[in-house]
Amino acid sequence: MPTLEQNRQLWSESFDWSHQGDRWSAKWGGVDMQWHGTLLPRIHAFLPTGAILEIAAGYGRWSQYLKDLCDHLILIDMQEHCIDACRQRFADETHIEFYVNDGRSLDMVADNSVDFVFSFDSLVHADSSVIEAYLEQLASKLTPDGVGFFHHSNLGAYPHYFSLTTRLPMPIRDRIYRYGLADKDHWRDPGMTAEKFCQIAARYGLQCIGQELVNWSARRQIDCFTTFCKEGSIWSRPNVVVRNPQFMDEVQRWGELAQLYSDTSWARMAKT
Ligand SMILES: C[S@@+](CC[C@H](N)C(=O)[O-])C[C@H]1O[C@@H](n2cnc3c(N)ncnc32)[C@H](O)[C@@H]1O
């Protein structure tokens, strides 16, 4: 399972960060397509807002959009070089605060100050103890009607399947992956599930109000997008759980339409 230490090692300066994370949006046809096609439609109800906290911001792939949708943005990452990169990238912005943390602590955030907390494409590799540490603190950091949107692992919903495939000898595994005969675990945490997220949230007076289970580069729904709030907030409602085994079709469609609509498609045209 990806421990905090393994995350610290993987995302260190020796990782190729030259693309600032943009390469991870390639299937969408670019970061702007992923933001406008996949992310913004899922969180637009909560934006713009007062203060946004982004956990595990990396080199600011999502911060570049979030910064224009709030009065105040707090960026946190456990890697100093990531926060340094964000500081440079957003040097002209006076409403952004930058912090390096230990992978768990939100001590630098004032109580009752966060209107929207966001984390995407990072905490899928976090185990339940990290998720719990963040949720416990968010219970006091969020404003009464504050909302969270977390992308996390649901790999734990398939314990038998993944324990079986990871036990296969490497050459056989390589072959079945090459022919698309089995799902990779994409380094998701094997202990986290959508259900577990809500159980942890409930321990701290938070509640899940929406969960989308998505087949991230797989057939099985190994990831989950969870929207949560404080119990009794204006956003409170029974959790709505949607299984979306067609998520990758959405990704592919944006990838196809990118030649028409992406920022780079217009930039290419401007040059001709
Ligand atoms: C795959 S990158 C994604 C960065 C950014 N969210 C994006 O989508 O471009 C993962 C990032 O999460 C950070 N990270 C991983 N676990 C973390 C944790 N427990 N707390 C804070 N940052 C963490 C890493 O340092 C790294 O910058």
Side-chain angles (χ1 to χ4, degrees):
M1 85 170 53
T3 62
L4 258 187
E5 194 42 45
Q6 287 168 327
N7 269 279
R8 195 168 283 121
Q9 280 171 22
L10 179 65
W11 309 116
S12 71
E13 270 168 298
S14 53
F15 185 84
D16 177 12
W17 280 97
S18 57
H19 55 91
Q20 305 187 106
D22 292 7
R23 203 176 286 161
W24 300 319
S25 295
K27 283 186 182 160
W28 279 259
V31 184
D32 66 318
M33 294 300 288
Q34 187 176 359
W35 171 257
H36 290 104
T38 289
L39 279 171
L40 192 56
R42 287 168 166 87
I43 58 177
H44 73 97
F46 316 113
L47 302 171
T49 190
I52 298 180
L53 166 63
E54 185 182 1
I55 297 177
Y59 274 45
R61 181 164 54 135
W62 310 122
S63 333
Q64 66 180 310
Y65 302 103
L66 294 170
K67 73 176 172 48
D68 297 328
L69 293 165
C70 62
D71 303 325
H72 185 54
L73 177 63
I74 305 168
L75 300 184
I76 289 180
D77 198 283
M78 68 193 281
Q79 296 283 349
E80 194 160 355
H81 72 94
C82 288
I83 289 302
D84 286 346
C86 285
R87 238 191 225 108
Q88 271 185 25
R89 182 172 188 174
F90 306 120
D92 295 338
E93 308 289 342
T94 53
H95 69 307
I96 309 184
E97 283 179 67
F98 306 87
Y99 297 102
V100 180
N101 79 347
D102 61 359
R104 292 175 191 273
S105 173
L106 296 178
D107 282 352
M108 59 296 282
V109 180
D111 283 354
N112 194 23
S113 70
V114 176
D115 297 300
F116 184 61
V117 56
F118 172 93
S119 187
F120 198 82
D121 219 355
S122 291
L123 297 181
V124 283
H125 312 301
D127 66 24
S128 60
S129 73
V130 170
I131 299 288
E132 177 147 10
Y134 282 137
L135 289 180
E136 179 176 7
Q137 295 163 90
L138 285 169
S140 47
K141 307 299 175 188
L142 284 173
T143 55
D145 294 324
V147 170
F149 182 83
F150 270 23
H151 176 197
H152 61 87
S153 172
N154 185 47
L155 197 79
Y158 306 97
H160 304 303
Y161 180 83
F162 285 100
S163 71
L164 195 75
T165 49
T166 47
R167 265 189 274 136
L168 290 172
M170 222 21 182
I172 297 180
R173 231 193 298 172
D174 280 351
R175 192 165 294 188
I176 60 172
Y177 289 154
R178 197 164 339 120
Y179 293 113
L181 300 174
D183 284 343
K184 291 185 180 176
D185 69 7
H186 296 281
W187 214 48
R188 271 44 187 161
D189 183 81
M192 267 310 294
T193 64
E195 230 176 307
K196 195 173 210 170
F197 190 101
C198 299
Q199 286 163 2
I200 297 171
R203 263 175 231 155
Y204 302 104
L206 299 171
Q207 68 172 125
C208 295
I209 50 173
Q211 290 190 299
E212 182 181 355
L213 293 98
V214 297
N215 61 325
W216 192 280
S217 293
R219 273 188 293 264
R220 286 162 186 77
Q221 291 120 65
I222 62 172
D223 285 11
C224 181
F225 305 147
T226 292
T227 309
F228 59 94
C229 68
K230 285 188 170 186
E231 282 166 10
S233 107
I234 54 162
W235 300 102
S236 284
R237 68 176 182 190
N239 193 18
V240 179
V241 182
V242 173
R243 288 192 165 272
N244 184 1
Q246 271 95 43
F247 179 69
M248 291 313 290
D249 297 347
E250 169 188 320
V251 176
Q252 194 190 336
R253 187 50 51 91
W254 287 126
E256 287 159 6
L257 293 174
Q259 59 181 316
L260 241 183
Y261 299 119
S262 72
D263 287 351
T264 45
S265 80
W266 300 116
R268 251 198 315 274
M269 204 185 96
K271 272 188 220 140
T272 55

